[in-house]
Amino acid sequence: MSVFDFDATPARITDSFARQGLMRTLGATLEKVIEGEVRIAATVSPRSAQQHGVGHAGLTFSLADSAAGYAALTTMEEGFEVVTSEFRISLLAPARGRLVATGRVIRPGRRLIAVAADVHGDDGAHVATALGTMVPVAAT
Amino acid sequence: MSVFDFDATPARITDSFARQGLMRTLGATLEKVIEGEVRIAATVSPRSAQQHGVGHAGLTFSLADSAAGYAALTTMEEGFEVVTSEFRISLLAPARGRLVATGRVIRPGRRLIAVAADVHGDDGAHVATALGTMVPVAAT
Amino acid sequence: MSVFDFDATPARITDSFARQGLMRTLGATLEKVIEGEVRIAATVSPRSAQQHGVGHAGLTFSLADSAAGYAALTTMEEGFEVVTSEFRISLLAPARGRLVATGRVIRPGRRLIAVAADVHGDDGAHVATALGTMVPVAAT
Amino acid sequence: MSVFDFDATPARITDSFARQGLMRTLGATLEKVIEGEVRIAATVSPRSAQQHGVGHAGLTFSLADSAAGYAALTTMEEGFEVVTSEFRISLLAPARGRLVATGRVIRPGRRLIAVAADVHGDDGAHVATALGTMVPVAAT
């Protein structure tokens, strides 16, 4: 059971997330949205694995990047979206089981937003840590 | 038609690629494998897109990371695989159409391999550029 | 007055720091050394500034990188040193006054050590945050 | 003898460089300025070295960052300066002798400029490669 309260989350975030094909493809779910922090989870499956059944770095990155991007979005006015400008991820441990990515805003801004993200595994493993830059763009 | 010559490519690379679930999920194909350089392509689809139908940063990352990882693998002896230690990607233009990621080795090594990757779009757009570090691990 | 206790700090760290010409040039001092965490400080001066008298990004980087490197060194056996493999710094606020860089180990290792660093200013400003990779080498 | 032609270089670049205390401290010189590309050089000295007399990562970073920043500046209108938003450097070989850092613009922009830099040694060694993001600010 998720404690995520969809009713309290800005529709622009739940709507945007629901339209992200890759998040659906990876089986990702929005777990938490508060000002400046967003949590996204997904369970490693054969479809998101590398050659040994461990989660592909691309899965871990996708969760971390999306969590950080939505965290940035929570700090912005209506009428904007964000795109990733650059993202740097360190992969610290094999990605197994259910992964939880927590993105947060380090420094908000009108021109660029400094973000960070961490990904943890079921077993408490610190799977990845990341720093990135998000850029606001007018929503279309 | 691809000019990729499977017969001339080390089986450990084609086999490994074929077992990567995420590459299959993203519709990625191995396009070129030479010593120190690997090319992987995929066409953006609703399944790998973000909320506006443009390729998700996670797609671009996954192609770049895999191309760079296999490029690193071409420089290693039999009996080893590589895992990504860290990867930093700059997203320069929207990812549209068919994406081609070219990974290459900047500096080989027994303990870590410095790699780079660039992703281009159909239209010649420079979609992304990346630097990363790959680490050899004994194949299991 | 510094609370730094030189007597309790491994000589290999104080000796190594004392031989770093750049640290001396920048007026940097070792402030804290515990297992997995090192603090280095320096005050911005005209010699380490950019064109407006604010600390140059190179100063902030140098303090963050050295703090992270020595933090890595605290986790290693005698007979080794570390070199920076790669380092990624986000500059979040102007560097003014006395800068304090805190480096810490995120994940120790025999082949590579994942590190992080943060730099704060006198006024509490979060000047920079960084992630990097250190590599052990046999001491000569 | 440098082939650098000061007369043909925008004064805002030579003036700005001349006011950078850290560049003077490191003995750095401006070697080339063309649209989108800038070269800065410095010789490793005891003052910019680490504990073994090799150039400190902070020296290599400072040259790369400054070369990339001035490369960004060449693409901007009068009345602006740039600051580093984030910078990621891979250190590939020991920094010895005279280092030459070449910064270039990968993608210009009004809000942020994607840059790259490479540092080479006397002996042709590829000492470092870097990617970063520069942000325009109104000159004061």
Side-chain angles (χ1 to χ4, degrees), chain B residues 61-140:
Chain B
F61 174 93
S62 297
L63 301 176
D65 169 69
S66 291
Y70 284 114
L73 191 54
T74 65
T75 65
M76 305 198 55
E77 297 169 52
E78 289 284 337
F80 283 92
E81 294 186 296
V82 297
V83 296
T84 306
S85 170
E86 57 80 35
F87 209 76
R88 189 266 200 222
I89 192 161
S90 291
L91 298 153
L92 305 170
R96 295 199 169 94
R98 186 169 182 264
L99 305 178
V100 179
T102 306
R104 60 191 188 283
V105 171
I106 295 185
R107 194 205 49 201
R110 277 172 313 130
R111 294 199 304 176
L112 52 85
I113 302 118
V115 293
D118 285 281
V119 181
H120 288 87
D122 256 350
D123 47 358
H126 193 183
V127 168
T129 190
L131 290 174
T133 308
M134 298 288 158
V135 174
V137 292
T140 53

Side-chain angles (χ1 to χ4, degrees), chain D residues 82-118:
Chain D
V82 297
V83 296
T84 306
S85 169
E86 56 80 36
F87 209 76
R88 189 266 198 220
I89 192 161
S90 291
L91 298 153
L92 306 170
R96 293 198 172 95
R98 185 169 182 263
L99 306 178
V100 179
T102 305
R104 60 191 188 284
V105 172
I106 296 185
R107 194 205 51 200
R110 277 173 311 132
R111 293 200 302 177
L112 52 84
I113 301 118
V115 293
D118 286 281

